[in-house]
Amino acid sequence: MSDPAAFESRLEKRSEFLKQPVGHSRQGDFIKCVEQKTDALGKQPVSRGFTKDKIWQQYFAAKDTVYAVIPEEKFDLIWNRAQSCPTFLCALPRREGYEFFVGQWTGTELHFTALINIQTRGEAAASQLILYHYPELKEEKGIVLMTAEMDSTFLNVAEAQCIANQVQLFYATDRKETYGLVETFNLRPNEFKYMSVIAELEQSGLGAELKCAQNQNKT
């Protein structure tokens, strides 16, 4: 968007993101599973190889969705930075170029919608991807669990995963230059350069596999 002030105004109007799910939610199912597996974990010998990370991985491995086990230290870094910089821009590789998605934290949920939706619909722009973070196991197990709901008419699992990976790329990085883009977007929007996001994404290699798959589908 060429006018950062206009964009910021539209984003502020949408500060309370729509709460309805964008896809089928498995939150209740997975919470039950985690509780059951955590109880079982305490009763089984460690040698059986049933670790806290596998609780999450085994449950979602066969499901067509996005999920992750985030170490406590990494989540704390992401969370602390999100308090001062709750909004950011991700670049999603498309067959022709890139599409920008705006992410905004609301509690432990991170809502994403395409930039073009905010430009055209403003506060009526619905979330197309929501990342849910569950810190309940953080103190006991040292992990935070993440899963997602997405609007499958706009995104597939690989595309949603690419966006989710960029949260850690930009918020959990040790590189000042990379997190500096987040700070600039939130604190000095007039100085923000959209192409810098694409440059960081390409340098990280996160979008390479997705881009390759899209090119193969095109042929």
Side-chain angles (χ1 to χ4, degrees):
M1 182 175 248
S2 58
D3 186 351
F7 168 71
E8 190 174 358
S9 174
R10 293 184 186 184
L11 196 58
E12 286 176 355
K13 291 180 181 178
R14 197 175 172 266
S15 59
E16 294 186 4
F17 278 71
L18 300 180
K19 287 293 185 179
Q20 73 270 22
V22 295
H24 173 63
S25 174
R26 300 189 179 93
Q27 297 172 59
D29 295 339
F30 108 77
I31 286 291
K32 286 182 182 178
C33 175
V34 169
E35 290 175 347
Q36 292 170 357
K37 297 296 187 182
T38 302
D39 290 342
L41 181 61
K43 300 173 184 177
Q44 296 178 5
V46 176
S47 60
R48 298 187 60 176
F50 194 68
T51 67
K52 57 194 178 186
D53 292 1
K54 288 181 181 178
I55 297 174
W56 193 240
Q57 294 167 346
Q58 287 178 359
Y59 180 73
F60 278 103
K63 301 185 183 298
D64 193 28
T65 189
V66 176
Y67 66 95
V69 177
I70 306 174
E72 177 182 2
E73 297 80 7
K74 182 170 289 187
F75 179 79
D76 285 345
L77 178 60
I78 293 171
W79 179 250
N80 290 334
R81 287 175 166 177
Q83 303 315 296
S84 57
C85 296
T87 307
F88 192 55
L89 199 74
C90 292
L92 182 66
R94 294 298 196 187
R95 289 184 179 181
E96 302 295 336
Y98 290 84
E99 182 176 12
F100 289 111
F101 280 75
V102 177
Q104 181 166 334
W105 289 86
T106 171
T108 54
E109 299 175 8
L110 182 51
H111 293 241
F112 286 93
T113 192
L115 175 60
I116 187 66
N117 285 349
I118 296 178
Q119 292 174 336
T120 57
R121 300 180 183 179
E123 60 184 315
S127 299
Q128 294 165 312
L129 172 66
I130 306 175
L131 303 183
Y132 295 96
H133 299 83
Y134 299 91
E136 288 84 354
L137 297 178
K138 187 160 73 81
E139 290 188 11
E140 181 184 359
K141 302 297 182 182
I143 57 173
V144 172
L145 307 180
M146 186 275 285
T147 188
E149 293 176 1
M150 64 183 181
D151 188 336
S152 58
T153 62
F154 291 94
L155 296 168
N156 59 37
V157 172
E159 292 166 343
Q161 186 68 63
C162 182
I163 293 175
N165 288 342
Q166 290 182 62
V167 178
Q168 296 195 36
L169 170 64
F170 289 104
Y171 277 91
T173 182
D174 292 328
R175 294 185 71 244
K176 292 182 179 180
E177 298 84 356
T178 304
Y179 179 62
L181 294 177
V182 181
E183 292 180 310
T184 301
F185 187 80
N186 283 268
L187 307 176
R188 302 180 303 278
N190 289 322
E191 300 175 17
F192 184 77
K193 294 180 173 58
Y194 288 74
M195 293 304 296
S196 297
V197 174
I198 295 175
E200 285 290 338
L201 179 63
E202 291 181 344
Q203 182 177 338
S204 72
L206 284 180
E209 186 175 343
L210 180 58
K211 196 76 172 176
C212 180
Q214 291 172 340
N215 290 335
Q216 289 177 348
N217 292 337
K218 186 165 57 175
T219 60

